Amino acid sequence: MATNTDIQRDTVLEREKEALKPPPMYQVVLLNDDYTPMEFVVNVLQRVFDKTPEEASHIMLKVHHEGRGVCGIYTRDIAATRVEMVRQLARARQHPLQCIMEPAPDA
Ligand code: TYC
């Protein structure tokens, strides 16, 4: 039978293993809609995701044509902050722009 010390040792080993792993990564995704102006989306991509005007236009058009597009891949807190920034900017202008985060597929 496993004793308390066995369990404590296993817990410590699990934590050590966890600490050695890279953090889980999340991708921030923009979703298409019929109303948000293209220029606004390009602007958001430059301001929130540090994209060049060319990169921003490319991502915006991908979202427009394919329904969704990845804006960047970040650790959980940074992804959540950027999603919130997009939502605030969209709300301030009353655009229905949707932004979500989801676990990034393994590299
Ligand atoms: N489809 C929008 C339009 O035609 C543009 C758009 C692009 C909206 C990307 C949202 O995430 C988006 N005005």
Side-chain angles (χ1 to χ4, degrees), residues 30-38 41 59-61 63-64 97-98:
L30 271 187
L31 304 180
N32 190 34
D33 66 73
D34 291 338
Y35 304 103
T36 305
M38 291 182 173
V41 178
I59 295 169
M60 183 281 294
L61 284 175
V63 178
H64 179 69
L97 182 62
Q98 297 284 301

Side-chain angles (χ1 to χ4, degrees), residues 13 23 58 62 68 77 82-83 87 90 92 103 105-106:
L13 288 172
H58 183 84
K62 183 181 172 72
R68 51 179 276 148
D77 287 1
R82 293 188 193 212
V83 167
R87 290 179 180 169
D106 291 332

Side-chain angles (χ1 to χ4, degrees), residues 26-31 40-53 55-57 59-60 63 69-90 97-101:
Y26 294 82
Q27 56 190 22
V28 177
V29 176
L30 271 187
L31 304 180
F40 179 82
V41 178
V42 171
N43 223 279
V44 164
L45 285 161
Q46 290 177 239
R47 280 174 66 175
V48 177
F49 299 98
D50 307 312
K51 301 301 181 187
T52 65
E55 290 168 335
S57 297
I59 295 169
M60 183 281 294
V63 178
V70 175
C71 311
I73 298 180
Y74 309 98
T75 52
R76 190 187 56 202
D77 287 1
I78 292 174
T81 301
R82 293 188 193 212
V83 167
E84 199 44 49
M85 288 166 74
V86 173
R87 290 179 180 169
Q88 277 183 27
L89 289 167
L97 182 62
Q98 297 284 301
C99 186
I100 60 171
M101 61 189 269

